[in-house]
Amino acid sequence: MTALDLSSPVAVVGTGTMGQGIAQVALVAGHPVRLYDAVPDRAREAAAAIGARLDRLVEKGRLTAADRDAARARLRPADDLAELADCALVVEAVLERLDVKQELFRALEEVVSPDCLLATNTSSLSVTAIGGALSHPGRFVGLHFFNPAPLLPLVEVVSGFATDVTSATRAYETARAWGKTPVACADTPGFIVNRIARPFYAEAFAVYEAQASDPATIDAVLRESGGFRMGAFELTDLIGQDVNESVTHSVWQSFFQDVRFTPSLAQRRLVESGRLGRKTGRGWYDHREGAERPEPHTAEKRQPPAYVVAEGDLGPASELLAMIREAGIQVREEDEDNGSRLVLPGGGQLALADGQTSVEFRDVVYFDLALDYRKATRIALSASQDTGARTVSEATGLFQALGKDVSLIGDVPGMIVARTVARIIDLAHDAVAKGVATEEDVDTAMRLGVNYPLGPFEWSRRLGRTWACSVLDDLHQRDPSGRYAPSLALYRHSFATEKREGAS
């Protein structure tokens, strides 16, 4: 099944920001486009707005004047659904209410031809449930664009329970012909991106709720150590706290209140107070004119240790050993079978975050996971109230000698980046095992949809196939609510690896 022919008219119903964006994508690709909105004159206003954006593309040299004029000639507002009768594809981008969408598609079925492809841009509702109202649900599919649709490449092509393979394939190939990067997924709560991305927000909020650190510091660690484009607090302020919480709540409810997707009480209070982020001037941060952005916690300068003793290879942080030597600090290596750590001159130990807490051990400081320890500009350290001051000072000085800013946080298991990445990897394995999408499509979706520096499976291969399961096992022992219990898919993946390695 191939993409729609460019001569085939495409209709967009709902002319808000997303509807206009989808219409622009189809228009620039070469289709005749019809715009319809139930509110009188809204479609004409949307057509004028799209025309203005085409003008800006010409000004920026991204579109020729001739192509702009041709696109404008193909764009037509519609006053009635009947004017969409000859369309080969109708994409809906109206209010996120099941009854509203079902009513719209029932009306469309009375108008369009039997072979017209019907698509919803819903981000939170069930594609199956929307299509369930149709007489012919086989031609119904989800086409989830990301905002702004003309700029972001990802499109999740969602097959409902009754969607025909030919319909899903045609939608997929059409999105690709429009210059997008489509990924195929089954109809599951949150689809790919909104399902697997929940821990990015949830774990940052959990660290905050545990009073282990503040939003500015957590965001800085996620950016400067984890390699994420934005931190969870600043990103949700940009998205809108009400919007982000609504998606989280929808996924949680759709999974029958699965504890892995539990919403944040702190975020709920923020929404209740009307602090919704940039759009209201205040959220986690104060965005009002003249407000100062809080600085992340950064430790004062400390003396580096003269040497460290390396017991084991530090696993995902093994690059640190070469970096320490390059900084002029002696590294003495000892083979140990009981773990990987650095022993400092004062006798204290420095270990990579593993889901355990500092208070459980004598004089241990944990350091967080980094995407790339050479490129990272900040490292988080955690210690308990019983950790020796000398150990904290030597650990701080060590990373400062490597050119890193150091943020001290409370004694929370898994710290910030490690627990976040471990949970993202777990949800990705769980999704693939349940037939939601392929590993390749999951990685593509998370890189393009939310700008993750690596896809979950890319991260898993880099960290070692047993790493995430081990971290989550430790976290689960300290919080047996089920939130951190590794999925069966991740257990199987990890155990199979261990078994093969043991056999060799």
Side-chain angles (χ1 to χ4, degrees), residues 264-303:
S264 161
L265 181 58
Q267 188 179 39
R268 174 93 290 263
R269 293 291 179 258
L270 205 64
V271 173
E272 289 173 339
S273 70
R275 298 185 177 188
L276 307 182
R278 290 182 179 273
K279 61 186 176 183
T280 61
R282 297 185 75 181
W284 296 110
Y285 298 104
D286 190 341
H287 301 280
R288 294 172 297 181
E289 187 175 353
E292 292 187 14
R293 180 69 176 261
E295 293 293 325
H297 174 271
T298 303
E300 295 180 0
K301 191 70 177 176
R302 301 295 182 190
Q303 283 293 115

Side-chain angles (χ1 to χ4, degrees), residues 429 432 437-444 457 461 493:
H429 275 279
V432 169
T438 65
E439 290 186 9
E440 182 181 2
D441 277 356
V442 167
D443 278 352
T444 298
F457 293 96
R461 288 189 289 271
H493 177 79

Side-chain angles (χ1 to χ4, degrees), residues 24 117-118 128 162 371 470:
Q24 181 179 328
L117 190 63
L118 299 177
T128 301
L371 173 69
S470 176

Side-chain angles (χ1 to χ4, degrees), residues 41-42 53 63 78 82 90 152-153 227 235 283 288 305 458 469:
D41 296 324
R42 187 72 61 80
R53 283 200 289 274
L63 191 70
V90 181
L152 295 186
L235 180 54
R288 294 172 297 181
E458 293 172 314
C469 191

Side-chain angles (χ1 to χ4, degrees), residues 125-146:
L125 299 176
S126 165
V127 171
T128 301
I130 300 171
L134 300 180
S135 299
H136 304 286
R139 61 169 165 176
F140 186 72
V141 66
L143 276 178
H144 181 216
F145 289 78
F146 287 73

